[in-house]
Amino acid sequence: MQIRLYQDFSRLPLDRNGWNSLARRGSVNTIFQTHQWASAWWTTFGAHHRLLFLAAEKDAEICGFAPLMVTPGQREVHFLADANSDYCDFAASGNRYEFLDAVLRYFARDYTEWRTVVLRNIPEQSPSLATVLSLCAKYRLHPRLSRRIAAPRIDFRQQQAPFKMKYSLRRHSNRLERLGAVAFRVARDRSELPEMLDALYRQHVGRYHEKGEHSLFEQAECRRFYANLADELLDTGWLHFSELSLNGRSLATHFGFEYDNVLIWYKPAFDVAYRQYSPGTALIKCLLDYAGERGINALDFTIGNEPFKERFSNAIAYNRTLTLYRTRPAALFHKAKANAITAAKRLLTALRGANA
């Protein structure tokens, strides 16, 4: 098996169909592994990074790829788009061990312009984790595995009915309906996107300003990414961009995805002027109704520690970040640094509690 490096997104050896076909056969198959996701992200943010796309060839065919990138000057390798992707992994068909062995051999012997390889948000159930860990000893690389990051979900195949009423979902919807005409829609036409994107940006900025924080949508690049992503995904049927409105006014929006019969919660927002009516909770009820009508298997809340996720979920998965170091001193230094940061956070939390 041979590894080839590609550093120009427009010259990759896989077209959209070939990329997605390999991604679907990988152990992690989500919207974040698709060509559309990578293309929209790279079109927006690629100028800040250097592409490090590794394609594995065997018998004159591409049997796997590692979509990676490096930030110039930092010599730190990441999954492409990892800052915005809730689930990351390699894509391979056939012998996954052979493929990952070739990738690690490439980093150990051929590509030397790196200090660390930071593989964020690999689902814990992915065999990539155990395989890469086992191969590190072979190539004298030094791994460090992060703590688990929770990704709650509602699995409708376990039991669906209780969730529609849980925590007074219907009560919140009824309160809104007493104010006027409540409507829920999912974008199906490209002409709907500009207005709905504007509502998403406005609501998200308003909510974060209320908390004294900055919204990501204050950055032109982030707005452009969501616009590019909506344009890429609309015709595939994978975009789930929904809106809850009252008398024609947008109250809450959700920019998410519908992929492989899973509804993916990604970026929600709501109008803070209607906070007392819990429009976000009413929107969740609409999503549950939508999922039930379409026979969707799960509502995946993805990573994040928001309290509502724990309240509504009935299943939970976990992500890990696997970091590889070239030398043992570097691994020990970063481990000590991480432990010191964790200890400092615990001390700060304890001091805040004591002051309260």
Side-chain angles (χ1 to χ4, degrees):
M1 185 176 291
Q2 185 177 10
I3 295 291
R4 294 188 184 277
L5 170 64
Y6 295 86
Q7 295 187 288
D8 186 339
F9 199 93
S10 66
R11 297 179 180 274
L12 295 182
L14 292 167
D15 61 13
R16 177 162 290 182
N17 291 333
W19 174 306
N20 288 342
S21 177
L22 270 175
R24 280 193 294 270
R25 285 179 279 171
S27 57
V28 175
N29 175 31
T30 71
I31 191 69
F32 307 111
Q33 278 67 62
T34 64
H35 182 278
Q36 286 85 344
W37 178 270
S39 175
W41 195 93
W42 192 257
T43 298
T44 310
F45 301 108
H48 306 302
H49 306 275
R50 188 170 72 247
L51 188 65
L52 205 69
F53 187 95
L54 306 182
E57 296 181 8
K58 186 176 183 180
D59 300 328
E61 290 188 4
I62 296 176
C63 57
F65 63 87
L68 303 170
M69 63 183 187
V70 61
T71 303
Q74 295 184 6
R75 298 178 64 189
E76 190 171 274
V77 178
H78 293 262
F79 280 121
L80 193 154
D82 68 339
N84 299 90
S85 304
D86 285 13
Y87 305 116
C88 299
D89 204 355
F90 305 95
S93 61
N95 190 326
R96 174 168 289 269
Y97 182 91
E98 184 182 10
F99 163 70
L100 290 173
D101 182 81
V103 170
L104 261 69
R105 183 172 64 247
Y106 182 83
F107 279 109
R109 299 175 182 175
D110 300 322
Y111 183 79
T112 59
E113 298 178 29
W114 65 278
R115 281 196 291 260
T116 55
V117 176
V118 183
L119 303 174
R120 287 197 181 107
N121 285 334
I122 302 178
E124 197 172 52
Q125 73 271 18
S126 169
S128 296
L129 278 175
T131 303
V132 172
L133 282 168
S134 68
L135 287 166
C136 281
K138 178 179 179 179
Y139 292 108
R140 297 182 179 179
L141 301 176
H142 304 274
R144 183 167 65 88
L145 200 58
S146 74
R147 295 182 177 182
R148 304 167 95 195
I149 302 172
R153 62 169 47 201
I154 300 175
D155 188 339
F156 297 115
R157 292 166 296 184
Q158 292 187 21
Q159 48 178 323
Q160 178 176 352
F163 297 102
K164 287 193 176 183
M165 299 301 295
K166 197 172 184 180
Y167 291 93
S168 304
L169 283 174
R170 190 171 299 280
R171 178 170 60 84
H172 290 298
S173 296
N174 291 341
R175 289 182 65 202
L176 277 176
E177 289 171 0
R178 286 195 287 270
L179 298 179
V182 176
F184 174 76
R185 66 165 169 165
V186 179
R188 301 298 183 196
D189 189 89
R190 197 163 261 99
S191 63
E192 299 176 87
L193 295 178
E195 181 184 359
M196 292 179 68
L197 284 168
D198 284 344
L200 173 70
Y201 304 154
R202 184 176 64 254
Q203 291 168 6
H204 198 273
V205 169
R207 181 185 175 194
Y208 273 72
H209 280 190
E210 187 184 54
K211 298 191 295 183
E213 300 175 11
H214 288 288
S215 162
L216 67 112
F217 292 124
E218 293 178 72
Q219 304 172 36
E221 272 190 329
C222 289
R223 296 194 300 271
R224 189 160 62 250
F225 171 56
Y226 277 72
N228 289 340
L229 193 56
D231 186 63
E232 286 268 9
L233 295 180
L234 185 66
D235 293 336
T236 66
W238 298 338
L239 178 68
H240 179 96
F241 193 5
S242 53
E243 178 184 63
L244 181 68
S245 63
L246 173 66
N247 298 326
R249 173 173 175 165
S250 179
L251 294 187
T253 48
H254 170 238
F255 191 103
F257 315 104
E258 189 175 338
Y259 184 86
D260 197 27
N261 210 34
V262 174
L263 186 57
I264 302 168
W265 177 269
Y266 189 67
K267 190 63 64 181
F270 63 85
D271 187 340
V272 294
Y274 285 80
R275 174 186 292 278
Q276 62 180 317
Y277 296 98
S278 302
T281 304
L283 179 62
I284 290 177
K285 179 187 180 299
C286 293
L287 295 180
L288 295 177
D289 290 337
Y290 176 90
E293 292 164 4
R294 298 192 40 111
I296 288 173
N297 290 337
L299 171 56
D300 184 353
F301 286 121
T302 62
I303 61 173
N305 59 357
E306 297 90 336
F308 77 89
K309 293 183 178 182
E310 183 178 351
R311 293 201 307 267
F312 291 116
S313 62
N314 68 344
I316 191 165
Y318 296 93
N319 282 1
R320 305 294 286 268
T321 292
L322 178 59
T323 304
L324 309 181
Y325 301 91
R326 292 181 65 87
T327 66
R328 182 173 178 78
L332 293 174
F333 171 78
H334 283 89
K335 180 179 180 180
K337 181 180 177 181
N339 289 341
I341 292 173
T342 300
K345 288 180 178 179
R346 287 176 177 170
L347 177 61
L348 183 60
T349 301
L351 289 174
R352 286 174 176 169
N355 290 337

